[in-house]
Amino acid sequence: MMTAKFMMLTLCLGLTACASVDKWNKAVDAQHQAEDKALSEMKLKTTATLPVVPTGAGNSPLYVTPALYDGASYQATRMAAQKMQPTYLPQSQVTINHYIQGMMHDLVANLDLVKDGMIIGVTSFVYLDAAYDQADLLGNQLSEGFMHEIHQFGLAVVDFKTTDFIRVTPKGDFVFSRDFMELREEQPIEFVLGGTLVAHQGGTLVNARIVSVASKKVLATAQGFIPQNVANGVQPSSAQGKLYLKQGE
């Protein structure tokens, strides 16, 4: 009789122990799952706050995307990416538009005022130590590039060099003009994007800003550096002033 009771007690203790161990294992598994979930959420949050650097030829980073843009480290990231490029990188892969895109990101990141229907005009960039009514090919190309970037960001941009007619000639059909007599006297422009250039050792410094026409208040600023080899890629279409060698007879 005592033996049967002892066996029954042992069996009950064994079942209780099994149930406790099973409950313990379930609790441990639940804790591990909670820790894994928290770690995954932390990694996802960290990744979402860092700039994404897409890769180009040779898996070298080229630029950060606007959605995950980090203005504070953007220029450092860009310059580090350039150092990773091969020495003889084809010019078509890194052009002046590459740097215009970065500066446009900076302008949008610190833009004080964004309102529906705001209209922006883009002017030529001029050299800081030269006349403010003269621009070279680099300054004009910067204005053309910024005009494209403004439109890409969904802001309204006006091309005030567009005439009210199309001039048809034997050499082509034209709608743009730099003759102010052929352009509208009044333009629906509230803000202007322009800036200055400074020749620097190894390249050109660019200071860009968006300014209110009415109040002259600066709404956004950006600075960038264009390496000299990239700036040299912008070449005049004419060959005036060049001397070519010719084989003598």
Side-chain angles (χ1 to χ4, degrees):
M1 186 68 177
M2 292 296 295
T3 302
K5 290 183 179 180
F6 179 76
M7 293 178 62
M8 183 64 68
L9 179 61
T10 302
L11 180 60
C12 292
L13 291 175
L15 293 174
T16 303
C18 291
S20 299
V21 171
D22 185 59
K23 185 181 297 184
W24 170 262
N25 290 335
K26 290 182 178 180
V28 171
D29 291 341
Q31 182 178 359
H32 287 169
Q33 291 177 2
E35 291 176 354
D36 292 341
K37 182 179 180 180
L39 183 60
S40 299
E41 292 178 351
M42 183 180 299
K43 289 182 178 179
L44 181 62
K45 182 178 180 180
T46 303
T47 304
T49 58
L50 294 177
V52 175
V53 183
T55 57
N59 293 326
S60 298
L62 294 179
Y63 58 89
V64 297
T65 59
L68 302 177
Y69 172 67
D70 181 4
S73 62
Y74 184 75
Q75 293 299 330
T77 302
R78 182 180 295 278
M79 295 305 296
Q82 293 305 311
K83 293 180 180 179
M84 298 175 62
Q85 300 296 332
T87 304
Y88 297 100
L89 181 69
Q91 187 64 41
S92 60
Q93 294 190 21
V94 178
T95 67
I96 187 174
N97 296 329
H98 174 75
Y99 297 90
I100 293 174
Q101 182 187 62
M103 287 182 282
M104 187 64 205
H105 290 170
D106 280 338
L107 287 170
V108 173
N110 66 79
L111 185 60
D112 291 341
L113 173 66
V114 179
K115 65 177 184 178
D116 294 337
M118 65 182 298
I119 302 176
I120 302 175
V122 185
T123 61
S124 302
F125 283 65
V126 296
Y127 281 91
L128 186 62
D129 56 347
Y132 275 19
D133 60 351
Q134 297 179 7
D136 63 356
L137 183 58
L138 176 61
N140 287 329
Q141 176 55 33
L142 282 170
S143 69
E144 295 291 328
F146 273 110
M147 190 179 301
H148 166 72
E149 291 298 329
I150 291 175
H151 188 269
Q152 288 291 94
F153 271 93
L155 301 176
V157 58
V158 169
D159 189 348
F160 49 84
K161 296 186 294 294
T162 304
T163 65
D164 293 330
F165 55 88
I166 297 177
R167 181 185 296 106
V168 180
T169 72
K171 294 186 177 180
D173 310 321
F174 310 101
V175 71
F176 302 117
S177 175
R178 290 189 180 276
D179 184 354
F180 74 95
M181 295 296 293
E182 298 180 344
L183 304 177
R184 289 185 182 181
E185 183 178 356
E186 296 184 2
Q187 299 283 344
I189 298 175
E190 301 174 276
F191 308 94
V192 291
L193 189 157
T196 59
L197 306 174
V198 178
H200 192 273
Q201 183 177 5
T204 302
L205 291 172
V206 182
N207 305 293
R209 50 188 171 268
I210 297 177
V211 184
S212 168
V213 175
S215 66
K216 315 305 178 189
K217 178 183 177 182
V218 176
L219 302 181
T221 60
Q223 291 183 316
F225 179 79
I226 302 176
Q228 192 61 47
N229 65 310
V230 177
N232 290 341
V234 180
Q235 301 178 3
S237 56
S238 62
Q240 298 178 358
K242 293 185 178 180
L243 179 65
Y244 293 93
L245 298 179
K246 179 181 179 182
Q247 184 177 0
E249 296 180 358

